[in-house]
């Protein structure tokens, strides 16, 4: 699939504001962007750790998938996102190998990335995101 690195790790939180002190004061990371992704009903906060990011995900609505995740499994790691240089090719490869795809076509995620999710049923229960930086 030509995975180049871990683009980010998504962590489901009830409140970004409540978690900020841990990331900023304890870990010493700097939150450089807070962004709401309306169609995902989620507010995101980003921290850089080398070339990888931590993405905090706070639900903005009770019917958000993040709200449901927290309800079922509690706060914590939600997904791993791998960077690839060719997301269409990566998706085609996964499809060909019988991986269940949540997104058959890439869509726009936070920070303007092209993203697509693989179903946890096919990935050892780890929700997996593929990301491609637009040219
Ligand atoms: Zn993500």
């Amino acid at each position: 699939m030509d995975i180049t690195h871990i683009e980010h790790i998504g962590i489901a939180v009830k409140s970004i504001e409540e978690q900020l002190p841990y990331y900023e004061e304890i870990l010493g990371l700097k939150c450089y962007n807070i962004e709401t992704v309306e169609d995902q009903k989620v507010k995101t906060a980003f921290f850089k750790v080398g070339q990888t990011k931590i993405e905090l995900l706070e639900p903005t609505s009770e019917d958000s998938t993040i709200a449901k995740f927290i309800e079922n499994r509690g706060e914590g790691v939600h997904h791993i996102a791998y960077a690839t240089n060719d997301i269409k090719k990566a998706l085609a490869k996964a499809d060909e190998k019988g991986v269940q795809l949540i997104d058959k076509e890439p869509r726009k995620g936070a920070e303007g990335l092209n993203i697509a999710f693989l179903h946890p049923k096919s990935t050892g229960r780890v929700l997996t995101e593929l990301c491609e930086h637009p040219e």
Side-chain angles (χ1 to χ4, degrees):
M1 270 199 195
D2 293 327
I3 301 295
T4 55
H5 60 282
I6 293 179
E7 214 286 331
H8 62 270
I9 297 171
I11 299 174
V13 300
K14 288 179 186 161
S15 161
I16 285 173
E17 200 186 333
E18 274 176 32
Q19 292 301 323
L20 274 182
Y22 167 66
Y23 290 93
E24 296 203 309
E25 288 160 33
I26 311 283
L27 296 182
L29 305 175
K30 172 117 187 68
C31 177
Y32 69 93
N33 186 22
I34 291 188
E35 181 181 339
T36 298
V37 184
E38 296 293 349
D39 69 329
Q40 297 294 300
K41 295 173 183 163
V42 74
K43 188 167 134 186
T44 58
F46 289 93
F47 306 83
K48 280 200 177 89
V49 187
Q51 64 175 344
T52 301
K53 297 161 199 158
I54 297 293
E55 174 186 33
L56 300 185
L57 301 152
E58 174 191 317
T60 56
S61 159
E62 276 175 23
D63 61 347
S64 155
T65 56
I66 298 300
K68 288 186 189 121
F69 177 90
I70 292 172
E71 201 180 297
N72 294 333
R73 296 173 65 171
E75 294 176 288
V77 174
H78 178 260
H79 66 274
I80 307 283
Y82 295 96
T84 172
N85 292 325
D86 189 340
I87 194 168
K88 286 202 167 176
K89 200 168 140 192
L91 275 177
K93 178 94 178 174
D95 195 29
E96 178 196 312
K97 296 279 181 191
V99 172
Q100 198 176 328
L101 308 179
I102 293 175
D103 300 296
K104 298 213 186 295
E105 291 291 328
R107 57 188 167 88
K108 283 286 171 201
E111 300 197 305
L113 297 178
N114 299 320
I115 65 160
F117 282 92
L118 308 181
H119 199 285
K121 273 185 192 160
S122 301
T123 61
R125 307 304 308 171
V126 178
L127 179 60
T128 299
E129 178 181 353
L130 301 174
C131 299
E132 173 197 72
H133 284 266
E135 299 302 316

